[in-house]
Amino acid sequence: MSTTRQAWSRFAALFPALLPAQFVLAAGALVHGVGRGDHQKWAVAGVALAQAAVALLRAAPFLLLLSLPLLALPRPRLRVAAVAVAWSLFIVMQVALDQYFQVARVPLGADLFGYSVAEIRTTLSGELPSDPYGVLAWVLPLLVLWGGLYVCTRWRAGGSGRGTTWLLAAGLLAWLLPLPTGARVLRDDAARELASNKLAWFCADVWRWSGRGAVAAPATAQASAVADPGEPPLDPRFPFLRDEHTPDTLGAYFAPTSDGRPPNLVVIVVEGLGRSFSGPQASLGSFTPFLDELVGRSLYFDNFLANQGRTFGVLPSLFNSAPFARAGFTALGERMPPGPGLFSLLGQQGYHTAFYNGTDTRFDNERAFLQLQGVQHLVDLQNFGAGYQRNPFSEWGYPDGELVSRVLADSAQLQTPFLLAMQTISMHPAYKFPGQDTYLARFEQRLRELRIDAARRADYRADAAIYSTILYTDAQLRRYFDAVAKRPWYANTIFVITGDHRLPEIPMGEHLDRYHVPLIIYSPLLRQARRIRAVSSQLDVTPSLLALLSHTYGLQRPARTPWLGSGLDLADSFRNIHQLPLLQTKTSAPDYLAGRWWLHQGKLFELREGMHLAAVDDAPTRDWVTRRLQRYEQANAIFLQWLQLAPDGATPPLVAYREAAQEAPPIDAAPLMRGLSTASAELSVAGQGVQLTATFSNGDAQPSRAFVPLAVLTAEDGRELQEVSGRALQLAAHGQQQVQLTLQRPGACSRRCYVSVFPSDPQTGRAIGQGRYHVPLDVQATAGNAP
């Protein structure tokens, strides 16, 4: 038998050693992560093992090509050792990707290529697991592989040429079959990502990303081809440029300053701050007690979106309402064009501008962006100053406590008016900081305050380091506000607080959670506090702040801007009147939100009250949203061709505030009721109790999924006072059912409270349909009604 034929036969003899190693690898990932979805653990395990098997079959042709020269070596021990090394690399690649997922809670994809080696080293500093489980995750699959190779060489030394041929055929056939995603049995993105084979995910995402580069910038005629009837063509040189008529929706809430000068602005970008663990009715419970107090004195946007799933896009989105370019605006580096933004426009009108960050702002090219915007005073890791302690547990730099101390050190010398921005970092892996034991104790106290039941506390304690870090950052923000409240400039200052994205390391229920962040606008100048239910995004902040400053406080703004945002919507009702792109990572395909329609990976979803997405099978609407996305992408492509945002760069001619000739109509009509919804909710007060009568409706032509009616009673300041649930229900096709729930009225509800009622998931308690939210309960009257 020839050497090649022998090598061919030997592959079939040794290949079975990979299967148990592959399953051990998948099982290890599940043991560490499946506690986050116990109600689906067997489904997750089944999908994970199926994906592991299919991924191994797909790899078989490549392993065969790699192994044939090694299997042809004449000495048996050398032959097996060489194959063991090569196949160990295959296992190690998967272990590394699994370990990345255990740290980041998102699979690694083409975003690997969006960062430099230095940025990757900083990102992973202190994150690689060194606990016994982490070591075992690396060692055990390799031991199983080596043991399997030993057994195979003893029992099946010769192998079979026909067996190798069958393996090759099965491997090639596996590429024609889709990976089992579990979409039908796994109800949320977190479970599907946990069950996924991370090597298959990585390869698929890199393949998708590499194909995006083939799309060339369109000609002007092509750019107008996707426009809807009556829509103007894109400008061939400045495709995002438009007349600036953002309305001043904030002005009615602000009083004049005491000195007649424009107000100061402080913008705080909190790393990883997500809505699911901060603010009223946070789905995981709120771990930001200070921000919760501030909400009761602020304009609070319940349904606010970051436009990026990682930090790379927050400064251009928030301060410049800028497009993403190819891999984030700042990824353009030295080719970044100047454009009008909050820093440049206020600096142009006499504001002192400053930016503080405890990390190296060269990361994500933030320093280059800020310098392009003309920021006058930039403090970061490079010039933080003496007397401050770096975080010994991380390469990122200074923890948030030191950052606040550094900002406060300059607060007495600030020249007014000023625009000051502060970007925190502690709420980032590895979630370690000096003095953490104090906040771990506060975490346990917070679990008791939130009345987290004993059965769920184990899952929370698995993430105690993360929750304690959230409490730590919140405490530092309290310290900052307590200190600056004594400064003379405080009374004439507007504070804006938001998250750059929602941190992914604690459970996320659905894809939208990554973008759902709070927006708090607080000021001693505020005439009244208010919670706002309309949807807006970070792209809308700078247009609205410039409208406020130009209309209410006498500044000016550009006559034309390249801003993507159209201003904050302060409507009482849940709605979205905006069109906006969202980008999870530097290399991911963009999502697009237009009205209530959300496009994600070519699939259409409806954005429902409570910020939940429901899949919709509606081809005409999907095509319409796709055209919206294509128009944005073509404008983005023209921008990349010329790398110009506006004719006058960052300092255009300024004009006084002008109202638009007429208000732009909403993008589409009010949402249709599909699936489960709360058709009505009526409240009545009887003694110390509150009677809630709610009617639930199923708008589908098939029976609804099982749900639990859930009512939440909140105080005027947004604090959650009580939850009451009914028995599980399932509605017939187009069916309705009335449910009565009784809530006890606590002492905190002496004047006015609010009730929210919605159909909830029996396992997680999350809303799974449209609800009635923030229904007012006037306890001094005999009844309240929500039609």
Side-chain angles (χ1 to χ4, degrees):
M1 183 181 294
S2 69
T3 302
T4 302
R5 291 183 64 186
Q6 288 179 328
W8 184 271
S9 300
R10 290 166 184 158
F11 182 81
L14 298 181
F15 186 80
L18 281 166
L19 189 60
Q22 190 82 348
F23 284 163
V24 166
L25 186 68
L30 291 172
V31 167
H32 192 261
V34 81
R36 302 168 184 277
D38 286 341
H39 60 288
Q40 301 184 82
K41 61 183 178 181
W42 296 116
V44 170
V47 172
L49 294 177
Q51 284 220 19
V54 174
L56 180 59
L57 272 180
R58 286 184 170 186
F62 302 99
L63 292 171
L64 176 60
L65 289 175
L66 175 67
S67 305
L68 281 177
L70 307 177
L71 292 169
L73 294 172
R75 296 173 58 185
R77 289 187 178 179
L78 178 61
R79 184 166 63 233
V80 174
V83 169
V85 170
W87 290 6
S88 292
L89 291 175
F90 172 70
I91 295 296
V92 164
M93 279 194 302
Q94 295 185 80
V95 173
L97 291 169
D98 271 337
Q99 291 295 289
Y100 177 90
F101 178 81
Q102 299 303 333
V103 170
R105 296 296 172 196
V106 290
L108 182 63
D111 44 317
L112 174 67
F113 305 108
Y115 296 90
S116 67
V117 173
E119 288 175 329
I120 293 171
R121 185 169 58 248
T122 300
T123 301
L124 294 177
S125 63
E127 296 183 29
L128 295 178
S130 57
D131 55 90
Y133 166 78
V135 174
L136 190 63
W138 287 92
V139 173
L140 188 57
L142 294 175
L143 291 177
V144 171
L145 171 65
W146 297 338
L149 287 172
Y150 175 79
V151 170
C152 289
T153 55
R154 302 270 299 189
W155 289 1
R156 302 182 62 193
S160 163
R162 181 176 296 176
T164 299
T165 302
W166 278 110
L167 274 174
L168 177 61
L172 294 174
L173 181 63
W175 282 98
L176 302 177
L177 302 174
L179 275 174
T181 63
R184 294 183 179 179
V185 293
L186 303 180
R187 291 195 296 268
D188 56 62
D189 288 342
R192 285 191 286 273
E193 290 177 354
L194 173 62
S196 67
N197 179 269
K198 307 308 181 294
L199 180 60
W201 181 293
F202 177 81
C203 293
D205 197 56
V206 170
W207 178 263
R208 174 204 55 77
W209 173 72
S210 63
R212 289 179 63 200
V215 181
T220 308
Q222 292 173 316
S224 62
V226 296
D228 285 327
E231 192 168 34
L234 297 172
D235 187 296
R237 196 66 177 261
F238 305 105
F240 294 110
L241 197 62
R242 60 175 175 82
D243 292 337
E244 179 51 37
H245 292 304
T246 300
D248 179 16
T249 55
L250 297 172
Y253 294 89
F254 285 88
T257 57
S258 59
D259 57 8
R261 303 177 68 197
N264 310 300
L265 282 177
V266 174
V267 181
I268 302 175
V269 181
V270 182
E271 169 68 34
L273 181 64
R275 183 65 181 84
S276 61
F277 54 82
S278 176
Q281 291 91 50
S283 60
L284 296 171
S286 181
F287 289 82
T288 56
F290 167 68
L291 291 182
D292 295 352
E293 293 174 17
L294 200 62
V295 165
R297 297 177 277 149
S298 305
L299 297 178
Y300 184 69
F301 294 75
D302 268 303
N303 302 311
F304 190 71
L305 293 168
N307 293 88
Q308 58 286 318
R310 290 188 174 168
T311 308
F312 69 91
V314 66
L315 297 190
S317 294
L318 186 63
F319 292 103
N320 278 52
S321 196
F324 286 117
R326 175 169 165 78
F329 187 83
T330 59
L332 293 171
E334 295 179 353
R335 300 184 301 138
M336 251 188 294
L342 198 60
F343 282 113
S344 64
L345 294 174
L346 294 191
Q348 193 177 347
Q349 299 180 76
Y351 272 66
H352 174 71
T353 56
F355 184 90
Y356 292 81
N357 190 329
T359 70
D360 189 343
T361 52
R362 290 176 298 182
F363 194 97
D364 281 331
N365 283 320
E366 287 190 347
R367 173 178 284 271
F369 171 79
L370 293 166
Q371 289 173 337
L372 193 65
Q373 287 298 301
V375 173
Q376 298 159 358
H377 185 55
L378 200 165
V379 175
D380 72 349
L381 184 65
Q382 304 302 313
N383 62 339
F384 207 77
Y388 302 95
Q389 179 188 1
R390 286 188 59 166
N391 190 343
F393 306 108
S394 170
E395 292 295 322
W396 283 108
Y398 294 91
D400 291 346
E402 299 297 282
L403 174 64
V404 166
S405 296
R406 180 66 183 85
V407 175
L408 291 176
D410 288 348
S411 64
Q413 295 81 37
L414 285 171
Q415 305 170 29
T416 58
F418 62 80
L419 164 59
L420 183 151
M422 172 172 36
Q423 185 177 24
T424 73
I425 189 57
S426 292
M427 286 165 53
H428 190 286
Y431 299 104
K432 296 178 182 177
F433 56 92
Q436 191 162 14
D437 287 347
T438 299
Y439 293 92
L440 287 169
R442 291 191 188 180
F443 161 69
E444 290 294 333
Q445 178 184 346
R446 190 64 179 168
L447 288 181
R448 293 190 293 271
E449 291 171 352
L450 294 172
R451 298 178 182 177
I452 305 296
D453 61 77
R456 297 169 59 203
R457 289 190 181 183
D459 282 345
Y460 280 84
R461 286 173 177 145
D463 292 319
I466 301 175
Y467 287 113
S468 64
T469 307
I470 297 169
L471 288 165
Y472 162 73
T473 294
D474 182 73
Q476 304 316 308
L477 294 177
R478 181 190 295 275
R479 184 165 70 92
Y480 172 76
F481 275 85
D482 287 348
V484 299
K486 303 170 186 175
R487 297 295 178 191
W489 49 259
Y490 174 79
N492 294 321
T493 303
I494 298 172
F495 298 87
V496 179
I497 305 171
T498 189
D500 58 349
H501 59 86
R502 192 264 205 203
L503 60 85
E505 288 83 9
I506 54 179
M508 288 191 294
E510 54 186 290
H511 175 70
L512 182 147
D513 282 358
R514 189 68 181 259
Y515 304 103
H516 192 189
V517 299
L519 175 66
I520 301 171
I521 300 179
Y522 166 73
S523 175
L525 297 170
L526 268 178
R527 299 180 188 274
Q528 67 177 91
R530 188 174 156 211
R531 284 180 67 180
I532 294 141
R533 295 170 61 199
V535 177
S536 295
S537 83
Q538 289 173 349
L539 293 171
D540 300 308
V541 171
T542 283
S544 269
L545 289 177
L546 261 298
L548 168 69
L549 293 172
S550 59
H551 180 236
T552 304
Y553 295 105
L555 293 186
Q556 294 181 314
R557 62 180 180 179
R560 306 192 78 200
T561 63
W563 295 338
L564 272 64
S566 54
L568 297 169
D569 183 9
L570 273 72
D572 288 325
S573 60
F574 177 79
R575 69 174 189 178
N576 174 46
I577 61 172
H578 304 293
Q579 300 187 39
L580 55 107
L582 306 101
L583 197 66
Q584 179 166 321
T585 69
K586 290 183 177 183
T587 57
S588 61
D591 287 10
Y592 201 81
L593 176 62
R596 69 181 187 273
W597 307 113
W598 185 300
L599 193 68
H600 172 56
Q601 296 180 350
K603 298 177 181 177
L604 183 67
F605 297 84
E606 185 180 17
L607 179 63
R608 294 185 172 178
E609 193 160 5
M611 296 298 277
H612 302 293
L613 296 178
V616 175
D617 184 13
D618 187 334
T621 302
R622 184 183 65 246
D623 293 344
W624 179 80
V625 183
T626 300
R627 291 197 301 274
R628 302 287 84 213
L629 171 60
Q630 288 174 344
R631 183 172 172 86
Y632 162 74
E633 289 186 316
Q634 296 209 1
N636 197 45
I638 296 173
F639 162 67
L640 287 171
Q641 188 176 30
W642 296 101
L643 290 177
Q644 291 182 318
L645 285 169
D648 299 293
T651 55
L654 303 178
V655 298
Y657 177 87
R658 293 179 297 175
E659 293 278 3
Q662 60 181 13
E663 184 178 352
I667 290 174
D668 52 13
L672 297 173
M673 292 292 184
R674 289 190 176 91
L676 285 170
S677 62
T678 311
S680 65
E682 297 181 355
L683 301 172
S684 60
V685 178
Q688 294 301 308
V690 177
Q691 186 74 34
L692 167 65
T693 303
T695 301
F696 293 92
S697 175
N698 176 21
D700 291 334
Q702 57 190 14
S704 74
R705 60 183 292 186
F707 69 95
V708 171
L710 182 64
V712 180
L713 180 68
T714 55
E716 277 193 290
D717 59 6
R719 289 178 296 116
E720 182 174 319
L721 302 176
Q722 190 180 163
E723 280 190 7
V724 172
S725 59
R727 63 180 180 85
L729 302 173
Q730 185 176 26
L731 300 182
H734 301 298
Q736 285 192 342
Q737 185 160 337
Q738 191 177 85
V739 173
Q740 290 189 332
L741 300 173
T742 301
L743 300 97
Q744 296 300 314
R745 177 166 61 87
C749 208
S750 58
R751 193 159 57 94
R752 168 171 282 201
C753 282
Y754 297 91
V755 174
S756 299
V757 58
F758 50 87
S760 69
D761 185 287
Q763 298 290 340
T764 66
R766 293 182 63 88
I768 56 174
Q770 297 196 28
R772 296 279 170 160
Y773 294 87
H774 216 55
V775 179
L777 171 65
D778 187 350
V779 298
Q780 296 175 348
T782 58
N785 185 42

